Amino acid sequence: MTHLRRIMLEELQRRHYSQATTQRYIRSVERFAQHFHCSPDRLGRQHIRQYQAQLFTVQKLSPGTVTNHLCALRFFYIQTLKKPWSIADTPYPKKRHRLPTILSQEEVAQLIDAAPTAFYRTVLMTLYATGVRNAELTRLKISDVDSQRMVLHVRGGKGRQDRDVMLSPVLLEELRAHWRRLRKRSSVWLFPGNRWHSSDQPMDTKTPRHACQHAARRAGLKKKVYPHVLRHCFATHLLEAGADLHTIQILLGHHDLKETAIYLHLSQRHLHATASPLDALVLKGSSQPEE
C-alpha cells in the first residue's frame, strides 16, 4: 500500500487537489483496504459494492459521506491503477437537498465580536467579507491582497479556477492590524500556521473551524456554525442587499448558476416579495379559543 499511496499522492498533487481533499481521499482508500485486509489493487467491483453497503448499513453514514468515499475510490482506480470504473456498477447515492444554515447580520456581528483571539476575529471577518471557501482561505498569500484595486485574488479555487473578490476597506484595515500583530511575518502566507502563527507553512483547515466553534459558543448561538456557513451568509446577505445572482455566482466561483440559485430560497427579500394567498381571503371573525 505504501507504493500505491505514494503514486496516488503524486497524482492528487499533480492535479492540484487541496491538502484536505488529498488527505481525505488517501484515508478513504486506506480504510477500504483495511476493511478487506487486502491491498486495494487486488480488490474489484464486488468489493466496492459490499463496502458501499457496509458504509450505509453498519456505519450508517449519510449519502454525501458515502459519495465522498466513492469519489476517492473512483480516483484511485482510474488515475492510480488506470482501471475502468463503471458508474452503473457502483451508483452514487442520492443526496438529500437541505437548505444550509444562515445567520442574520446581527448574528454574524455577534459571532465576530465573540472571537476569543484577535487572530480568530480576523479569520471570521475574512470568511464573511469575501465568501471564500475554507481551503481557499488557508492558501491566501500576502501578494493576493491588492489594495490598489481593492480586490482579493483567490488562486486555484475549486476546479483550479482563479477569481477576484471585493476587498472591503474594513477588512483591509483588519488585515493590516493582523499583519502588525504577527510575531514573525511570513514572506508568503497571509495566515501562517502553528500555534504562534509564525510557520513557513499556511494554517491548517482546522483553524477556521475552531474559530467558528469557539466564537459561536461564546456568542451563545444555537445554530451550528462552521466556515462554509459564513460563505452562505456572504451570498445570502449580498442577495438581500440587491446584488444580482450572476454577480454572486462569479464572486463564489460557481460554474453553474443552479448552484447559486439556492440562495433565492434563503433570501428574506425574495421570500417576502410575494404575499401568502391566505392574506387575500376574507374570513368571518377570528378563531375562538378552545375551552
Side-chain angles (χ1 to χ4, degrees), residues 56 60-64 93-99:
F56 271 121
K60 301 188 182 304
L61 300 181
S62 68
K94 290 184 178 180
K95 291 184 179 180
R96 280 178 275 180
H97 293 283
R98 294 177 176 174
L99 293 178

Side-chain angles (χ1 to χ4, degrees), residues 5 23 49 77 82 117 125 175-176 210 235 271 279 282:
R5 187 182 192 278
Q23 293 174 350
R49 287 196 296 269
Y77 275 86
K82 309 301 181 186
T117 68
M125 289 178 70
L175 290 175
R176 285 172 172 166
H210 291 158
L271 289 173
D279 298 336
V282 179

Side-chain angles (χ1 to χ4, degrees), residues 16-206:
H16 303 289
Y17 278 71
S18 70
Q19 183 181 0
T21 302
T22 297
Q23 293 174 350
R24 188 173 69 246
Y25 273 31
I26 289 175
R27 283 199 302 268
S28 291
V29 175
E30 288 176 340
R31 288 171 183 167
F32 174 62
Q34 290 167 2
H35 178 74
F36 291 101
H37 305 287
C38 181
S39 178
D41 58 329
R42 297 169 58 188
L43 300 172
R45 299 176 196 172
Q46 182 180 356
H47 299 96
I48 296 171
R49 287 196 296 269
Q50 290 176 14
Y51 187 62
Q52 182 180 7
Q54 190 266 347
L55 293 176
F56 271 121
T57 59
V58 179
Q59 298 190 34
K60 301 188 182 304
L61 300 181
S62 68
T65 304
V66 173
T67 297
N68 288 337
H69 282 290
L70 289 176
C71 287
L73 294 176
R74 183 174 184 268
F75 182 94
F76 175 74
Y77 275 86
I78 293 176
Q79 305 300 338
T80 306
L81 300 182
K82 309 301 181 186
K83 291 184 177 181
W85 176 282
S86 172
I87 295 294
D89 289 336
T90 53
Y92 290 163
K94 290 184 178 180
K95 291 184 179 180
R96 280 178 275 180
H97 293 283
R98 294 177 176 174
L99 293 178
T101 300
I102 294 295
L103 304 179
S104 67
Q105 289 186 301
E106 293 75 18
E107 288 173 322
V108 173
Q110 292 172 23
L111 181 77
I112 293 172
D113 286 337
T117 68
F119 184 86
Y120 277 0
R121 179 184 176 88
T122 306
V123 165
L124 296 175
M125 289 178 70
T126 307
L127 285 167
Y128 177 65
T130 62
V132 294
R133 299 177 178 90
N134 191 6
E136 293 170 344
L137 175 79
T138 63
R139 294 197 303 270
L140 286 176
K141 297 180 179 179
I142 302 162
S143 57
D144 292 332
V145 181
D146 188 342
S147 58
Q148 295 298 314
R149 295 180 55 228
M150 290 302 288
V151 297
L152 192 70
H153 305 299
V154 182
R155 313 285 186 184
K158 192 174 183 179
R160 290 174 283 171
Q161 297 294 318
D162 295 348
R163 70 181 188 280
D164 287 346
V165 296
M166 74 282 271
L167 177 59
S168 155
V170 174
L171 179 61
L172 178 60
E173 287 305 310
E174 178 65 25
L175 290 175
R176 285 172 172 166
H178 154 71
W179 193 245
R180 290 192 294 267
R181 287 193 300 264
L182 292 177
R183 298 182 185 181
K184 178 185 175 184
R185 295 167 186 172
S186 169
S187 59
V188 178
W189 305 107
L190 184 59
F191 296 109
N194 85 24
R195 182 179 177 183
W196 298 275
H197 316 299
S198 58
S199 172
D200 293 329
Q201 299 297 319
M203 69 175 173
D204 191 88
T205 52
K206 292 179 181 178

Side-chain angles (χ1 to χ4, degrees), residues 110-117 120-121 124 206-221 223-227:
Q110 292 172 23
L111 181 77
I112 293 172
D113 286 337
T117 68
Y120 277 0
R121 179 184 176 88
L124 296 175
K206 292 179 181 178
T207 303
R209 289 200 293 271
H210 291 158
C212 290
Q213 291 166 2
H214 291 311
R217 189 160 51 245
R218 295 185 76 204
L221 299 178
K223 299 173 182 176
K224 185 178 180 181
V225 183
Y226 45 92

